C-alpha cells in the first residue's frame, strides 16, 4: 500500500489528495476472469497508423452508472465479474480511505497499445462532494521499463497488474509513452468515477 497526501486545498477549495494506490486488490481467480472478459471486449480491428501522429486510448464507456446498479454496468460492458469487482473497489474506498457513502458515477474499459500516450489533463469533476477517479489495472504483465506510467505533478505510478489507483479528479495527470515491443499487448484498466460525502 502506498499513499501520498499534500495538505491544503486546491483552486476549487477541495481537500487535495494527490494519489493513492494498493496492490493485489482482487483475488487471483476474480482477476483472471475479469482480465479475460476485458480482453474479449477489445476490438482488434481498431488500429493506429504507423506515424503515431494521433495517440489515443480505446475506451468502452457505460455513461452514467445508476446508484449501485452494477448489474446494468456489467451488461453494458459485457462482464459477469464486474459487479463483484465494483463491490470490492467500494469496500476498499470505505475501509482503507474512510470514504463516507462512496457512489460510482461512471465506468469504462480503457486500452492502450505500444507507442501510445495521454497528454496532461484533469478529469471533469462534475459531481457533488469530493470526486475521485479510480483505475484498476487489468493487464497480466508489466515490466518497469515498458513506460506507460500514470504521472502526477508530484510523482508517478507504474501500471502494475491488479493495482488500484485513486486520485482527486482535480489533479493534473498524464500517461507516459508505452515502450514495449509487443504488437498486440494492451495496457488496460477498468476506470470508474466516484463521489463521496
Amino acid at each position: 500500500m502506498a499513499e501520498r497526501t499534500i495538505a491544503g486545498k486546491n483552486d476549487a477549495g477541495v481537500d487535495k489528495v494527490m494519489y493513492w494506490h494498493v496492490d493485489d486488490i482482487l483475488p487471483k481467480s476474480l482477476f483472471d476472469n475479469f482480465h479475460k472478459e476485458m480482453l474479449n471486449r477489445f476490438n482488434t480491428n481498431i488500429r493506429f497508423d504507423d506515424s503515431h501522429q494521433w495517440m489515443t486510448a480505446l475506451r468502452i464507456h457505460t455513461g452514467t452508472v445508476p446508484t449501485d446498479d452494477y448489474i446494468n454496468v456489467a451488461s453494458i460492458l459485457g462482464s459477469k465479474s464486474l459487479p463483484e469487482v465494483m463491490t470490492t473497489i467500494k469496500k476498499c474506498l470505505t475501509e482503507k480511505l474512510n470514504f463516507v457513502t462512496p457512489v460510482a458515477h461512471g465506468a469504462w474499459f480503457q486500452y492502450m497499445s505500444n507507442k501510445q500516450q495521454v497528454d496532461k489533463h484533469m478529469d471533469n469533476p462534475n459531481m457533488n462532494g469530493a470526486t475521485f477517479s479510480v483505475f484498476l489495472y487489468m493487464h497480466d504483465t508489466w515490466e518497469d521499463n515498458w513506460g506507460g506510467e500514470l504521472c502526477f505533478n508530484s510523482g508517478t505510478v507504474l501500471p502494475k497488474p491488479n493495482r488500484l489507483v485513486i486520485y482527486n479528479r482535480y489533479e493534473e495527470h498524464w500517461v507516459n509513452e508505452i515502450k514495449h515491443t509487443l504488437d498486440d499487448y494492451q495496457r488496460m484498466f477498468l476506470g470508474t468515477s466516484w463521489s463521496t460525502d
Side-chain angles (χ1 to χ4, degrees), residues 48-56 113-117 177:
F48 300 92
D49 63 66
D50 291 336
S51 68
H52 302 295
Q53 300 268 325
W54 175 247
M55 311 290 184
T56 189
S113 301
N114 189 29
K115 302 295 184 188
Q116 291 183 298
Q117 62 191 34
E177 181 180 348

Side-chain angles (χ1 to χ4, degrees), residues 1-131:
M1 188 182 328
E3 182 175 2
R4 181 180 179 92
T5 306
I6 294 181
K9 297 184 182 294
N10 61 20
D11 293 339
V14 176
D15 289 334
K16 195 168 187 178
V17 177
M18 292 298 288
Y19 57 85
W20 180 88
H21 74 266
V22 62
D23 290 332
D24 300 322
I25 185 169
L26 299 182
K28 184 176 185 330
S29 60
L30 179 57
F31 178 86
D32 290 344
N33 288 338
F34 193 42
H35 168 78
K36 288 176 187 172
E37 291 171 351
M38 281 196 66
L39 281 178
N40 287 340
R41 289 289 283 141
F42 180 71
N43 185 344
T44 57
N45 293 321
I46 296 177
R47 292 287 185 231
F48 300 92
D49 63 66
D50 291 336
S51 68
H52 302 295
Q53 300 268 325
W54 175 247
M55 311 290 184
T56 189
L58 171 65
R59 183 180 282 196
I60 303 172
H61 204 288
T62 62
T64 303
V65 174
T67 303
D68 287 336
D69 184 2
Y70 306 145
I71 302 297
N72 184 52
V73 173
S75 67
I76 295 170
L77 290 178
S79 165
K80 293 179 181 178
S81 303
L82 197 133
E84 188 176 354
V85 172
M86 294 288 285
T87 300
T88 302
I89 292 171
K90 184 173 184 177
K91 182 177 179 182
C92 179
L93 295 177
T94 303
E95 294 180 358
K96 302 287 188 188
L97 289 180
N98 299 316
F99 281 19
V100 179
T101 60
V103 176
H105 294 271
W108 65 96
F109 290 167
Q110 189 158 318
Y111 307 83
M112 292 181 70
S113 301
N114 189 29
K115 302 295 184 188
Q116 291 183 298
Q117 62 191 34
V118 175
D119 292 336
K120 185 181 282 192
H121 66 285
M122 287 189 299
D123 296 339
N124 182 12
N126 59 352
M127 299 164 273
N128 294 326
T131 62

